[in-house]
Amino acid sequence: MSRGDLGVSARGGRQSNRDWRVGRESEYAPRALDMAPTQLKHPSYRPDIDGLRAVAVGAVLAFHAFPAALPGGFVGVDVFFVISGYLITSIIGADLSEGRFSLSNFYSRRVRRIFPALLLVSIACFGFGWFTLFADEFERLGKHIAGGAGFVSNVLFWSESGYFDSSAETKPLLHLWSLGIEEQFYIVWPLALWLAWSCRLNIPRFAGLLACASFAWNIHGTSSDAVSAFYLPFARAWELLLGALLAYSGLASSVTEASDSRAKWARHAASTAGAALLGFGLYATRSSRPFPGWWALPATLGTALSIAAGPRAWLNRCLWAQRPLVLIGLISFPLYLWHWPLLAFARIIAGEELPTRTRATLLSCALLLAIATYRFVERPLRNVRIASRWRVPALVTGMAAIGIAGFATFEAHGLPRRAVAGAAQRFETQFAPWPYENNSLCKSRYPFPEARAYSAWFCMLNRDAPPRVLVLGNSYANHLYPGLINDPDLRGNTVLSIGSCSADMGYAEHNPVFDRRYACNAERPLHQRQLIDDIVTRSGSVEYAIIDGLTYAYDGDFIPNLEKRIAFLESHGVQVIVFVPHLRANHRDLRGCFSRPLRPRALACDLDPAARAELDAQFAPVIAELSRTHPKLAFFDQNAVFCQGKRCSLLRDGMPLFRDQKSHYSEFGSSAVIKIFAAWAKTNAPGILRSQ
């Protein structure tokens, strides 16, 4: 999201060229394009663009605080991308046209514009996190501060994305992904423009080819790898290049400068169509739809049309250029920077969803902080002339320092000796990243090509020997692995946990529950069936199979598919034990079950006993049907770990049973479940017990 080119004055009128030399370029937009297509003159300030910034940042804030009220508000980021591309290209093009473009001057202006507010917010987040966050939370914050300081947040969050990624609402600097995209564009685009200018290339054609390639990448990526298309710069570059094309196309000039009646109505039509497209994008786009893709077009084209209409268009003049919007547009950069950390830290501290009044109060605080940042940090640093030559080195040094501090915090695992981390050390380690997704021993013994389709194949093997116990299922089966290999009564077994598909997928080659990229639903018949069959038939050592992680889609195919899997295993002499599906935390973060600074009282983490009865009733027909056809089949009720007597809880002995909001067991939870399982097995499956 562009904040790098925010305006610094609400006053209209033409500015002198001297302003360009003191870094006030963000107040300008192209005034005339009466030269060749690759030449621009210095632009004049346009308050309507600041008004568009206000709409964009307001939409983002509304979406983050009240998503149901404006479900497409996140496209405000795309509005900023277009504005940034337009203004930056106008600035660079004007300097190139006058023969005084300098990369060092350009980047110096970027530092003076971006670094003050970003540095302040980063320091504030680090300081607040020091006193309030547990070690794993502070470790993650340190990594994100380092990524923000290096303007690679988008790449960082892309690398973190996945099934086990922590909730976006608990990442105070998640919003810096958009700043990363913009700064990466600012690094590449000025040099590209300078080279194109030096080689006398047709710059609009050059920019247009890049924009088309980027848009094609975006369309393809949105359907094949939506996370990459969202975070990575080339898939989003077309939005900034759309603004660049607008700056060089001559459209803004021809519509803005002409004064005949036809041009007048063209201006009005362009601004009206632009506002309509922008409004449609804000209200019709949904986070559940593929994005950016085609859905990014309404807001970006609407923004481009609004800019092209020029400041004399009636809607631009009477709506976007109104003083309240302009003033918000002027502080939109610090407002964007402050709002998300306030919301995220509040959610972390509260441990639950924030009330509407609290979210509204936090946005008001963000507004006050943005005003103060603009008034007392941005403007003084931009306009002061005393020791001006030291401003850029000082800002760069400060940004490097906070980046190093963040990285050091990450390397030090969140500085666990801090007071808040030390008090939480007993339970906080249960929320650490899961180390049991893959190990080299398993992958070397079972190098199935399907594993390449998974970020987490859950291929775990505790010793270099044929497996005796096979853990079959998805991530909800994998979370049993640490308990099975460490329990005193079971650790003598060779345990193999492999596969990312629920056992009820059976022998079906196509199942709409999973995306076709997954091996269990591959277009060719090489899927989990063949994988498990090979392990069982070739090794000949599997005596027990534990099935967990069954889906909740108890439709007509569920029992037949599961029955086929069980029949195959039993035909090879394998004793099958099915773990009854476990209770869920309903997306609750169990950190809220413990006190922390600013919230001295822990939240209640009880579960309704009726939920267990409902789950038992739901699964009872499955037990009845499978027991009828497979009398040797055993069922283990793992929900005993949650319920003691009539009370059910997400904690046991003061420790969290889940490690994440998706209800995967923590290592403690895994051990607690398997301890109960071992006691059950003494009567129901004594052969699985092996302590040596």
Side-chain angles (χ1 to χ4, degrees):
M1 172 169 169
S2 175
R3 281 78 33 205
D5 302 303
L6 299 177
V8 296
S9 172
R11 298 188 302 273
R14 185 166 179 80
Q15 306 290 335
S16 68
N17 286 347
R18 184 173 180 270
D19 286 326
W20 289 78
R21 291 187 290 274
V22 296
R24 299 184 64 189
E25 72 279 11
S26 61
E27 297 187 5
Y28 301 87
R31 184 174 186 274
L33 293 176
D34 51 1
M35 303 173 69
T38 56
Q39 291 182 307
L40 297 175
K41 287 186 177 180
H42 280 306
S44 58
Y45 172 65
R46 286 183 52 177
D48 57 305
I49 292 182
D50 269 331
L52 285 172
R53 287 194 182 102
V55 172
V57 76
V60 173
L61 266 64
F63 173 73
H64 285 161
F66 314 104
L70 193 62
F74 60 90
V75 302
V77 172
D78 305 85
V79 173
F80 273 105
F81 284 161
V82 177
I83 294 173
S84 283
Y86 175 66
L87 293 178
I88 286 298
T89 304
S90 301
I91 294 163
I92 298 172
D95 282 351
L96 287 171
S97 299
E98 296 184 3
R100 59 186 187 85
F101 173 71
S102 166
L103 284 173
S104 62
N105 288 341
F106 174 82
Y107 293 128
S108 294
R109 292 198 296 263
R110 293 300 91 214
V111 168
R112 293 195 299 269
R113 186 64 199 97
I114 297 292
F115 280 33
L118 179 60
L119 182 58
L120 177 63
V121 171
S122 299
I123 292 173
C125 288
F126 186 85
F128 190 82
W130 178 283
F131 294 104
T132 60
L133 297 184
F134 299 145
D136 71 307
E137 296 168 329
F138 198 49
E139 176 183 0
R140 185 169 61 244
L141 177 66
K143 180 171 65 169
H144 295 166
I145 287 175
F151 298 106
V152 292
S153 290
N154 56 319
V155 178
L156 190 62
F157 291 121
W158 166 71
S159 69
E160 290 181 353
S161 62
Y163 185 65
F164 292 110
D165 190 16
S166 57
S167 171
E169 295 180 344
T170 61
K171 295 181 177 182
L173 295 178
L174 177 65
H175 62 324
L176 295 188
W177 72 267
S178 59
L179 189 60
I181 286 179
E182 286 198 356
E183 292 307 306
Q184 290 154 21
F185 179 80
Y186 293 163
I187 291 172
V188 175
W189 185 235
L191 181 60
L193 271 181
W194 177 75
L195 290 173
W197 177 274
S198 301
C199 297
R200 299 184 176 276
L201 298 179
N202 185 301
I203 292 181
R205 184 177 300 171
F206 171 67
L209 289 173
L210 290 177
C212 289
S214 173
F215 184 74
W217 189 305
N218 150 62
I219 295 299
H220 172 73
T222 301
S223 61
S224 63
D225 188 355
V227 176
S228 296
F230 187 89
Y231 281 120
L232 297 186
F234 193 68
R236 305 301 288 261
W238 66 272
E239 298 176 86
L240 293 117
L241 290 168
L242 179 61
L245 281 169
L246 183 62
Y248 266 106
S249 66
L251 179 60
S253 173
S254 61
V255 174
T256 301
E257 298 298 323
S259 59
D260 57 41
S261 59
R262 185 183 305 175
K264 176 181 177 181
W265 286 109
R267 288 195 295 269
H268 298 336
S271 64
T272 302
L277 281 171
L278 179 55
F280 175 79
L282 290 173
Y283 284 95
T285 310
R286 297 289 186 273
S287 57
S288 59
R289 291 169 175 163
F291 194 86
W294 294 101
W295 278 102
L297 279 176
T300 52
L301 291 178
T303 303
L305 283 173
S306 296
I307 295 173
R312 296 166 60 188
W314 180 85
L315 195 63
N316 288 8
R317 186 178 69 252
C318 297
L319 180 59
W320 305 138
Q322 289 301 301
R323 187 168 180 79
L325 285 180
V326 171
L327 293 177
I328 294 174
L330 293 175
I331 63 168
S332 56
F333 181 39
L335 181 56
Y336 179 79
L337 289 181
W338 280 115
H339 87 283
W340 184 250
L342 291 178
L343 290 170
F345 275 120
R347 289 181 177 119
I348 292 171
I349 299 302
E352 57 187 357
E353 184 57 42
L354 301 174
T356 300
R357 181 177 297 180
T358 301
R359 283 174 274 156
T361 301
L362 290 169
L363 291 189
S364 299
C365 292
L367 181 62
L368 294 176
L369 286 169
I371 293 171
T373 302
Y374 173 74
R375 175 65 180 84
F376 299 110
V377 177
E378 289 190 328
R379 282 181 58 182
L381 283 175
R382 194 159 49 237
N383 297 327
V384 70
R385 285 168 170 71
I386 300 175
S388 60
R389 64 178 179 175
W390 297 107
R391 277 179 294 172
V392 171
L395 288 170
V396 172
T397 300
M399 190 63 70
I402 191 63
I404 292 171
F407 183 75
T409 299
F410 171 69
E411 288 290 300
H413 304 293
L415 302 173
R417 294 186 178 181
R418 292 174 300 118
V420 60
Q425 192 169 16
R426 176 173 177 266
F427 63 83
E428 191 270 337
T429 55
Q430 300 302 312
F431 302 116
W434 190 244
Y436 301 104
E437 294 181 10
N438 297 284
N439 64 12
S440 57
L441 178 59
C442 183
K443 290 191 290 187
S444 64
R445 287 186 68 96
Y446 306 103
F448 288 89
E450 295 96 320
R452 299 173 184 174
Y454 294 82
S455 59
W457 181 236
F458 305 126
C459 184
M460 297 297 301
L461 184 65
N462 62 327
R463 56 174 58 91
D464 192 7
R468 183 171 185 261
V469 176
L470 173 65
V471 182
L472 176 61
N474 53 23
S475 60
Y476 291 114
N478 169 261
H479 67 185
L480 301 174
Y481 178 80
L484 289 169
I485 65 172
N486 293 313
D487 187 87
D489 293 323
L490 296 164
R491 61 189 175 195
N493 290 305
T494 300
V495 179
L496 171 63
S497 172
I498 192 167
S500 290
C501 307
S502 180
D504 58 270
M505 299 296 283
Y507 288 80
E509 295 180 8
H510 298 280
N511 190 311
V513 174
F514 287 90
D515 187 277
R516 67 181 181 180
R517 289 173 296 163
Y518 288 90
C520 58
N521 188 32
E523 292 179 336
R524 62 187 189 279
L526 186 60
H527 49 70
Q528 193 193 28
R529 176 192 66 182
Q530 190 170 9
L531 172 71
I532 301 304
D533 287 6
D534 278 353
I535 291 174
V536 172
T537 56
R538 291 184 183 182
S539 69
S541 63
V542 178
E543 298 180 31
Y544 292 89
I546 293 175
I547 293 177
D548 195 7
L550 297 174
T551 67
Y552 280 70
Y554 302 145
D555 54 21
D557 294 330
F558 176 83
I559 292 179
N561 285 343
L562 183 56
E563 194 278 332
K564 290 178 182 178
R565 172 69 67 203
I566 294 169
F568 169 78
L569 293 168
E570 289 187 342
S571 69
H572 287 78
V574 178
Q575 169 68 58
V576 180
I577 302 171
V578 175
F579 275 47
V580 172
H582 67 281
L583 293 166
R584 304 297 173 90
N586 295 324
H587 300 285
R588 292 183 60 182
D589 186 348
L590 267 63
R591 290 178 179 85
C593 300
F594 305 94
S595 62
R596 69 161 84 219
L598 303 182
R599 197 197 67 222
R601 298 183 62 181
L603 302 178
C605 284
D606 290 346
L607 289 170
D608 186 355
R612 182 182 183 184
E614 181 181 350
L615 185 60
D616 289 344
Q618 186 181 22
F619 200 69
V622 178
I623 295 177
E625 178 63 22
L626 292 176
S627 297
R628 184 182 63 82
T629 55
H630 299 277
K632 294 182 179 180
L633 184 64
F635 292 89
F636 170 67
D637 184 7
Q638 58 186 312
N639 290 312
V641 75
F642 301 100
C643 302
Q644 296 172 298
K646 294 183 178 180
R647 181 175 179 268
C648 298
S649 175
L650 296 170
L651 304 181
R652 189 179 179 92
D653 299 330
M655 294 288 283
L657 291 170
F658 292 137
R659 70 180 187 267
D660 57 29
Q661 296 183 40
K662 293 184 174 71
S663 300
H664 294 97
Y665 288 138
S666 62
E667 288 195 56
F668 171 84
S670 180
S671 296
V673 169
I674 297 304
K675 182 178 181 180
I676 297 172
F677 170 72
W680 171 90
K682 290 177 182 179
T683 301
N684 298 278
I688 199 173
L689 301 175
R690 180 175 288 186
S691 59
Q692 298 294 331

